[in-house]
Amino acid sequence: QVQLVESGGGLVQPGGSLKLSCAASGFTFRTYAMSWYRQAPGKERELVATITSAGFMIDTADSVKGRFTISRHNTKNTVYLQMNSLKPEDTAVYFCNARRYADTYWGQGTQVTVSS
């Protein structure tokens, strides 16, 4: 069955870095666009960044431009989110998403907390 498993979240101080990973299985990973979303307490889920099946980074949220980078490794069926210069407002649960036409899959999320 389809699985998206996020990892790499945790507690980090402001200005620090984290790298999230999302391991995919159960579908043809290389043909899907992959995205990271996040949801802070009391807020709606928002798109952070998307990488196309061809490896182009698109749809990056203005709030993370220049700080976050999405990448993918099709041989490892994994998508990454490198997060630098983290701010307290980046605190959220981060979700991995796979999308191809009408098919969309979600992971369970990983918590990122930015606090001193």
Side-chain angles (χ1 to χ4, degrees), residues 11 18 46 67 70 82 104-105 107:
L11 174 64
L18 280 176
E46 65 170 350
R67 300 189 299 123
I70 188 171
Q82 177 67 49
T104 187
Y105 308 119

Side-chain angles (χ1 to χ4, degrees), residues 22-102:
C22 172
S25 61
F27 63 98
T28 309
F29 176 81
R30 59 181 170 78
T31 67
Y32 279 67
M34 299 298 298
S35 300
W36 286 96
Y37 285 75
R38 67 185 181 184
Q39 188 166 18
K43 294 188 177 181
E44 293 187 354
R45 191 173 296 189
E46 65 170 350
L47 176 65
V48 176
T50 296
I51 187 165
T52 67
S53 58
F56 296 102
M57 182 174 169
I58 61 172
D59 294 337
T60 308
D62 288 341
S63 59
V64 307
K65 282 181 179 176
R67 300 189 299 123
F68 290 12
T69 302
I70 188 171
S71 62
R72 65 190 297 159
H73 197 305
N74 285 344
T75 301
K76 295 183 178 180
N77 286 0
T78 302
V79 62
Y80 306 96
L81 185 68
Q82 177 67 49
M83 305 186 294
N84 299 325
S85 302
L86 283 160
K87 304 175 181 180
E89 51 264 42
D90 294 319
T91 295
V93 178
Y94 284 71
F95 298 90
C96 178
N97 170 267
R99 187 179 74 252
R100 182 176 183 268
Y101 300 120

